[in-house]
Amino acid sequence: MSNSDKEGLAYWLRWQVPVCALIILVPTSLTSCLIKKAKAKPLFLDDLWTPCWRKLNPVWLLIYRAFAFLCLAFMFEAAVALDGAFAFYFYTQWTFTLVMVYFALGTVISAYGCWVYTKGHPSANGVRYEILKRYMEENIITNGMTYREKETKGNIKLQSHYVEEEIQQRAGFWGYLMQTVYQTCGGAVLLTDIVFWCVIVPFLSDAHLGLNTLIACMHTLNAVFLLLDTALNSLPFPWFRIAYFIQWSCLYCVFQWVIHACGFTWWPYPFLELDTPWAPLWYFVLALVHIPCYGLYVLIVEAKNSILPTLFPRAFIRSY
């Protein structure tokens, strides 16, 4: 199909357009309702800057986040210098920028946390360990424990949870923003890298999507840096924030539709084109893929909180 055929009102009057629009609008509406109705556990300020390793000084997490931000910023500057504003035509750059924003927020908040730490205030690591150490032995409970013993341990755990809420300061706007960005990045980097390495590179590479060192690093280090941060931080990862990840992708689709309505004719990803009868199927599959991508990151966080306490019972502190 020529460019002249793809331009104009006729392109947007195809039957595929309203169907694909519905595939975008329905998840957006559902996730908006989910965000309004969901009730998450309270996020404490210490969760943002303390490592999940009891003897690891928060300064090391600060250094790591600053290092990750600088590396990402270097690649970001190289991409923009190479392609200019055209770099933001791709979902990769949107996600990469979001990861960079997370590490920027994380660096600033970690710096504040380290300042608090140097003032002698107890960190979350110390508070949690002192409160929870009384029932850390639950990991080695034998089958011979009586019902009364189990009930007693459950009461201690419940009471310690309330004491922890009273002692620790809750996070404010910037803290919840950091957590939201973090969880959006978790799903987005997996979606970006899986689609790139499993679909685009083997089947769809062309002059616009050619593979070079910079692109390869951007589609690898974004996930590597985020996963390493996950291995160090104490941030929870509730399921309901998949809503922000879905809305992030829907926002990108709306952006693409708007600029194409304004005259652009080339789509950055062939599976976003609307001039094929397979377009609704592609859009539907892309919508469904968000669930396993986000779910995989949830499993990674849950594995961290399940396996590491068993392997390192005196060093690792379960976040939630």
Side-chain angles (χ1 to χ4, degrees):
M1 179 176 291
S2 65
N3 287 345
S4 59
D5 292 331
K6 297 183 71 174
E7 295 175 351
L9 184 62
Y11 183 79
W12 299 98
L13 293 179
R14 302 170 186 269
W15 67 268
Q16 299 97 315
V17 174
V19 177
C20 292
L22 193 63
I23 295 174
I24 296 174
L25 290 175
V26 170
T28 302
S29 301
L30 293 177
T31 52
S32 296
C33 294
L34 178 61
I35 292 171
K36 292 180 181 179
K37 295 182 179 180
K39 294 181 179 180
K41 294 180 180 179
L43 178 67
F44 299 114
L45 184 60
D46 287 347
D47 294 330
L48 304 172
W49 57 269
T50 54
C52 56
W53 300 93
R54 187 168 64 88
K55 294 185 178 180
L56 183 64
N57 193 299
V59 172
W60 289 110
L61 182 57
L62 167 62
I63 293 173
Y64 171 73
R65 285 173 169 172
F67 172 76
F69 172 75
L70 291 176
C71 291
L72 294 172
F74 175 79
M75 288 185 284
F76 175 83
E77 188 276 334
V80 173
L82 182 64
D83 297 323
F86 181 73
F88 294 95
Y89 201 61
F90 298 90
Y91 186 79
T92 294
Q93 198 62 49
W94 279 49
T95 300
F96 195 86
T97 303
L98 193 66
V99 176
M100 195 168 63
V101 169
Y102 165 71
F103 279 107
L105 287 171
T107 300
V108 173
I109 293 177
S110 287
Y112 168 77
C114 289
W115 176 80
V116 172
Y117 185 80
T118 57
K119 294 297 181 180
H121 298 292
S123 67
N125 279 353
V127 172
R128 284 200 192 106
Y129 183 74
E130 293 302 324
I131 293 174
L132 304 181
K133 67 180 180 180
R134 289 176 293 176
Y135 61 90
M136 284 290 286
E137 62 269 18
E138 68 179 356
N139 292 321
I140 53 172
I141 293 175
T142 61
N143 293 331
M145 176 175 286
T146 65
Y147 173 80
R148 184 176 297 277
E149 287 174 324
K150 291 182 180 180
E151 184 179 20
T152 301
K153 284 187 175 291
N155 290 336
I156 292 175
K157 186 172 183 179
L158 181 62
Q159 292 171 7
S160 65
H161 173 73
Y162 289 132
V163 172
E164 183 181 0
E165 284 197 17
E166 291 178 1
I167 293 176
Q168 292 184 266
Q169 178 184 355
R170 294 199 179 189
F173 168 78
W174 293 106
Y176 280 100
L177 176 63
M178 177 180 167
Q179 186 193 27
T180 300
V181 172
Y182 166 60
Q183 294 193 248
T184 304
C185 289
V189 295
L190 292 185
L191 175 63
T192 301
D193 293 357
I194 290 173
V195 170
F196 181 79
W197 291 110
C198 298
V199 178
I200 294 178
V201 170
F203 306 111
L204 302 177
S205 293
D206 56 22
H208 294 286
L209 298 173
L211 182 63
N212 56 44
T213 302
L214 177 61
I215 293 178
C217 288
M218 292 181 70
H219 287 87
T220 304
L221 294 181
N222 56 355
V224 170
F225 280 133
L226 198 66
L227 287 170
L228 287 175
D229 190 85
T230 298
L232 296 174
N233 70 39
S234 299
L235 286 168
F237 209 92
W239 251 105
F240 84 91
R241 284 199 172 88
I242 188 178
Y244 293 103
F245 169 38
I246 293 173
Q247 291 195 344
W248 176 255
S249 297
C250 289
L251 179 63
Y252 176 77
C253 288
V254 171
F255 164 76
Q256 285 294 330
W257 282 35
V258 169
I259 62 176
H260 280 80
C262 293
F264 281 81
T265 58
W266 181 74
W267 292 86
Y269 306 107
F271 42 76
L272 292 181
E273 292 186 10
L274 298 169
D275 61 347
T276 168
W278 297 101
L281 179 61
W282 275 114
Y283 274 72
F284 183 70
V285 170
L286 287 173
L288 290 181
V289 165
H290 283 69
I291 299 175
C293 286
Y294 190 85
L296 178 58
Y297 213 99
V298 171
L299 289 177
I300 291 172
V301 176
E302 290 184 352
K304 180 190 82 168
N305 288 322
S306 300
I307 298 174
L308 295 184
T310 303
L311 298 177
F312 310 99
R314 296 185 178 276
F316 183 85
I317 299 177
R318 190 194 310 265
S319 55
Y320 285 92

